[in-house]
């Protein structure tokens, strides 16, 4: 097992170097996304000011604000861009180089991305969690940090990342059919953004839709970790949704293996 | 005059070339347009869900907010359609050393970069904007006047150039740093604020989007004038002034950057 993992360490260190090279760009990019976060902050603030009741679908204004910032943090932690990388490799033919190596194709991506994430997540998680907690203490008036929720949140995030990674790999295989992944990827991000509660909490949807969406794999991405962190789930709900996450991890892992064995047989590279 | 004619002729040639390239990948560009429609549809769904809980957003009703949102997509879409190539300068053209090709041609570099590509995907954004404006117009309580219609139409190119100016200025930073795509992204994201009534933000944000990164003039202020007829000198006049100023700054930085540019890559 250690030996098998050892062959992937070069991919991890390549990922680390890749991200470390562009850390300044990363900061600007993040600032751009933080701005988008503030847009939602002000919209929701205006919504609660304009509303007559204190609760909207079970959320108070402070909770909603915490929700927005946690969504941002979670999306960042579990971000995966396998789709795009696979698409690019199919387009420029470098996929052939990766296939020549005696390692698992999907795993090389996973470990390279883990390398990327080691840099970004380790640098970012402490200031961002601290930031979220400061905002939370400020808007609610008392310290809400709960270590158990936080640990469960991290576990949930790891599973969410794996779901995201394998789902993106599966989606990336679309590049075998559609050569233009940018457009398809935009569509995917948009649908996933909605179904995962990143745009609006699923609780704001009509009841039946909410129930259906909670069972779909997308709510396992952002929504489950955020709800756990916020303490919106009781212990049996937490156990249930963590179990559901585990199910989706295994599901997409299996599916990506299946698709890869099918797709690699009919690979046609343009140029290269 | 002769130069302008030449520029237009060249623009036509570039566009024709782009269209040929696109017809090669028909399926792709349909997917791109649908992709942008999806993004806009989800934002619209967000607004609809929000308004199902409240009668108005700090005094703005659903139709008005959708109108402002729709209007914001028009200049954004036009800039996106014609001048999207500026993104690639900051992201990779300079870094990979591909910028040299522009310097070897007998036309202005900035002009060449701007007209080289056509981002047809942006039609999704633009058409959605036009559709939202058209759908909301009859429902708005607006006093119609020729002046309002003329001014709002006339201001669209200027609002577009606010986007373009900011993109030129930030892309040109790459001439010094080799890569500036993420700086462009950071500035560009500020435009998200402009899609909603400025009144919902706090003082600091209002000041930033009005005077520092003045995206509010790409959408909210012109739309506000159209809705209320108030203060055309500020809402429309300032849009024109700011767009001219930003374009000038952009061109200035670009020209200085060209002088500082040293080729990168192999």
């Amino acid at each position: 097992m250690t030996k098998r993992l050892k062959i992937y360490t070069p991919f991890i260190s390549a990922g680390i170097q890749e991200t470390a090279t562009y850390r300044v760009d990363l900061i600007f990019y993040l600032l751009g996304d933080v701005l988008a976060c503030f847009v939602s902050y002000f919209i929701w603030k205006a919504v609660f000011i304009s509303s007559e009741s204190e609760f909207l679908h079970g959320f108070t204004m402070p909770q909603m604000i915490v929700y927005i910032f946690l969504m941002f943090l979670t999306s960042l932690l579990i971000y995966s861009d396998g789709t795009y990388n696979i698409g690019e490799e199919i387009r420029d033919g470098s996929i052939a180089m990766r296939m020549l190596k005696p390692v698992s194709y999907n795993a090389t991506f996973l470990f390279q991305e883990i390398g990327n994430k080691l840099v970004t997540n380790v640098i970012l998680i402490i200031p961002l969690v601290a930031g979220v907690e400061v905002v939370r203490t400020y808007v609610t008036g008392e310290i809400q940090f709960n270590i158990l929720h936080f640990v469960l949140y991290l576990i949930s995030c790891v599973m969410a990342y794996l779901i995201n990674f394998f789902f993106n790999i599966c989606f990336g295989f679309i590049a075998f059919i559609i050569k233009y992944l940018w457009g398809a990827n935009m569509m995917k991000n948009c649908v996933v953004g909605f179904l995962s509660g990143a745009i609006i909490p699923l609780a704001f949807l009509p009841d039946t839709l909410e129930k259906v969406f909670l069972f779909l794999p997308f709510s396992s991405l952002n929504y489950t970790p955020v709800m756990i962190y916020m303490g919106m789930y009781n212990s049996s709900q937490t156990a249930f949704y963590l179990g559901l996450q585990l199910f989706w991890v295994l599901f997409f892992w299996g599916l990506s293996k299946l698709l890869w064995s099918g797709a690699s047989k009919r690979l046609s590279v343009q140029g290269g | 005059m002769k130069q302008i004619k030449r520029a237009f002729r060249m623009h036509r040639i570039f566009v024709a070339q782009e269209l040929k390239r696109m017809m090669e990948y028909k399926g792709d560009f349909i997917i791109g347009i649908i992709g942008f429609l999806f993004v806009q549809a989800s934002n619209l769904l967000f607004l609809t869900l929000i308004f199902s809980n409240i009668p108005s957003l700090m005094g703005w009703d659903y139709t008005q907010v959708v109108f402002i949102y729709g209007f914001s997509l028009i200049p954004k879409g036009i800039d996106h359609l014609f001048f999207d190539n500026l993104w690639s300068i900051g992201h990779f053209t300079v870094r990979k050393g591909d910028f040299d090709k522009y310097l070897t041609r007998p036309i202005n570099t900035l002009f060449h970069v701007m007209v080289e590509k056509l981002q047809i995907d942006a039609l999704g954004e633009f058409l959605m904007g036009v559709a939202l404006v058209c759908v909301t117009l009859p429902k708005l309580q607006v006093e119609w006047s020729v002046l309002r219609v003329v001014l709002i139409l006339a201001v669209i190119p200027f609002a577009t150039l606010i986007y373009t100016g900011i993109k030129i200025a930030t892309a040109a930073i790459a001439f010094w740093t080799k890569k500036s795509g993420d700086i462009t992204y950071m500035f560009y994201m500020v435009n998200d604020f402009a899609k909603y009534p400025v009144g919902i933000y706090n003082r600091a944000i209002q000041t930033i989007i009005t005077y520092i990164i003045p995206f509010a003039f790409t959408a909210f202020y012109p739309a506000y004038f159209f809705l209320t007829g108030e203060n055309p000198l500020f809402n429309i006049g300032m849009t024109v002034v700011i767009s001219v100023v930003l374009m000038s700054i952009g061109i200035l930085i670009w020209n200085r950057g060209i002088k500082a540019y040293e080729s990168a890559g192999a």
Side-chain angles (χ1 to χ4, degrees):
Chain A
M1 187 68 191
T2 23
K3 204 182 159 211
R4 277 192 61 191
L5 279 179
K6 219 174 163 184
I7 55 172
Y8 293 107
T9 45
F11 291 97
I12 297 181
S13 58
I16 291 177
Q17 281 165 15
E18 203 174 59
T19 311
T21 317
Y22 294 116
R23 57 190 183 278
V24 180
D25 307 288
L26 187 81
I27 290 167
F28 282 118
Y29 191 82
L30 279 175
L31 280 175
D33 283 346
V34 171
L35 286 175
C37 222
F38 274 97
V39 178
S40 344
Y41 165 81
F42 283 109
I43 292 173
W44 281 108
K45 222 174 140 187
V47 168
F48 276 93
I49 291 171
S50 312
S51 158
E52 277 130 35
S53 70
E54 195 190 332
F55 283 90
L56 282 179
H57 299 275
F59 282 84
T60 60
M61 178 152 91
Q63 279 175 325
M64 197 61 224
I65 291 166
V66 170
Y67 181 90
I68 295 163
F69 286 97
L70 272 178
M71 262 296 161
F72 167 71
L73 172 66
T74 313
S75 308
L76 204 70
L77 293 180
I78 69 166
Y79 175 77
S80 173
D81 57 2
T83 302
Y84 203 72
N85 293 336
I86 290 186
E88 275 302 299
E89 295 213 339
I90 291 172
R91 251 158 100 104
D92 67 16
S94 56
I95 189 173
M97 292 309 295
R98 224 178 254 264
M99 288 171 75
L100 279 174
K101 298 184 182 111
V103 287
S104 151
Y105 179 78
N106 294 347
T108 59
F109 275 115
L110 181 62
F111 284 99
Q112 200 170 339
E113 204 169 69
I114 286 175
N116 293 166
K117 297 205 96 54
L118 277 178
V119 181
T120 51
N121 289 6
V122 168
I123 295 174
L124 293 173
I125 194 163
I126 295 168
L128 284 177
V129 169
V132 167
E133 283 303 324
V134 168
V135 170
R136 204 176 179 199
T137 312
Y138 175 71
V139 292
T140 57
E142 54 189 322
I143 294 171
Q144 304 259 340
F145 186 72
N146 179 321
I147 191 78
L148 176 68
H149 289 161
F150 181 66
V151 171
L152 287 172
Y153 167 79
L154 289 182
I155 295 170
S156 180
C157 275
V158 170
M159 289 203 281
Y161 168 69
L162 290 173
I163 297 171
N164 202 16
F165 175 80
F166 287 116
F167 169 74
N168 272 297
I169 292 276
C170 294
F171 193 83
F173 289 131
I174 282 191
F176 284 94
I177 309 159
I178 305 168
K179 292 280 185 306
Y180 182 59
L181 261 189
W182 203 73
N185 207 20
M186 191 157 57
M187 253 188 262
K188 181 208 73 185
N189 287 342
C190 178
V191 172
V192 170
F194 214 92
L195 298 185
S196 68
I199 294 174
I200 194 165
L202 297 179
F204 277 70
L205 298 168
D207 271 354
T208 27
L209 269 186
E210 186 197 346
K211 287 210 179 76
V212 174
F213 286 1
L214 280 175
F215 274 96
L216 292 179
F218 308 107
S219 65
S220 285
L221 291 175
N222 297 2
Y223 201 60
T224 303
V226 169
M227 294 309 253
I228 290 176
Y229 192 117
M230 291 179 70
M232 302 285 262
Y233 286 153
N234 61 31
S235 46
S236 63
Q237 279 173 313
T238 306
F240 173 76
Y241 285 111
L242 285 175
L244 191 65
Q245 279 192 304
L246 186 63
F247 167 76
W248 286 120
V249 173
L250 296 173
F251 176 85
F252 282 110
W253 173 69
L255 188 66
S256 70
K257 274 204 141 25
L258 206 68
L259 285 176
W260 169 242
S261 63
S264 57
K265 287 194 190 90
R266 50 164 301 207
L267 171 70
S268 75
V269 170
Q270 298 178 330
Chain B
M1 195 61 211
K2 215 171 151 194
Q3 266 184 329
I4 296 173
K5 247 175 147 172
R6 177 163 173 263
F8 271 107
R9 205 181 66 233
M10 258 176 331
H11 184 232
R12 260 208 319 279
I13 296 171
F14 276 117
V15 168
Q17 208 55 35
E18 265 296 291
L19 288 175
K20 276 184 223 157
R21 204 179 59 90
M22 253 171 309
M23 292 324 274
E24 193 78 11
Y25 299 98
K26 275 189 220 72
D28 289 352
F29 99 79
I30 291 170
I31 288 168
I33 292 177
I34 298 175
F36 269 104
L37 283 177
F38 260 63
V39 174
Q40 301 316 331
S42 91
N43 286 339
L44 199 61
L45 199 57
F46 171 72
L47 286 179
T48 312
L49 284 170
I50 279 184
F51 271 95
S52 66
N53 292 293
I54 49 171
S56 74
L57 190 66
M58 294 178 90
W60 299 88
D61 67 26
Y62 180 62
T63 325
Q64 288 171 324
V65 172
V66 173
F67 173 79
I68 296 169
Y69 183 81
F71 183 79
S72 81
L73 295 177
I74 296 174
K76 193 180 178 191
I78 298 175
D79 164 74
H80 201 159
L81 178 64
F82 290 110
F83 309 129
D84 201 51
N85 202 25
L86 286 164
W87 281 101
S88 48
I89 298 295
H91 271 305
F92 43 80
T93 313
V94 172
R95 188 163 47 96
K96 288 190 174 164
D98 293 340
F99 191 78
D100 295 5
K101 84 166 186 208
Y102 298 104
L103 293 168
T104 59
R105 310 244 165 110
I107 43 174
N108 181 286
T109 49
L110 180 58
F111 177 75
H112 189 181
V113 169
M114 282 169 65
V115 300
E116 192 181 35
K117 287 229 168 77
L118 203 61
Q119 181 57 272
I120 210 81
D121 298 0
L123 275 180
E125 210 163 43
F126 175 75
L127 292 175
M128 189 70 164
V130 173
L132 290 181
V133 166
C134 291
V135 170
T136 49
L137 266 185
K139 292 188 214 151
L140 289 169
Q141 311 283 329
V142 176
E143 284 172 49
W144 287 87
S145 76
V146 180
L147 186 71
R148 277 193 204 186
V149 176
V150 169
L151 280 180
I152 193 93
L153 288 176
V155 87
I156 290 175
F158 291 101
T160 307
L161 289 180
I162 292 180
Y163 279 99
T164 316
I166 288 177
K167 270 160 67 184
I168 294 172
T170 51
I173 294 174
F175 293 129
W176 288 278
T177 62
K178 304 282 181 254
K179 195 165 182 283
S180 68
D182 298 284
I183 300 176
T184 311
Y185 180 78
M186 188 189 76
F187 277 92
Y188 197 79
M189 285 307 274
V190 176
N191 89 75
D192 264 3
F193 285 103
K195 293 173 184 164
Y196 306 101
V198 168
I200 69 170
Y201 306 117
N202 66 13
R203 261 290 134 77
I205 301 278
Q206 287 184 13
T207 312
I208 291 174
I209 60 177
T210 306
Y211 297 108
I212 299 170
I213 310 172
F215 275 118
F217 287 99
T218 62
F220 175 72
Y221 289 128
Y224 182 75
F225 166 74
F226 184 77
L227 291 172
T228 62
E230 279 173 29
N231 221 344
L233 210 59
F234 178 77
N235 290 320
I236 301 292
M238 273 301 267
T239 308
V240 175
V241 171
I242 282 176
S243 93
V244 171
V245 169
L246 277 177
M247 275 305 275
S248 313
I249 293 175
I251 292 168
L252 196 79
I253 298 181
W254 182 277
N255 287 338
R256 293 201 141 204
I258 293 281
K259 287 202 187 96
Y261 172 73
E262 286 171 17
S263 184

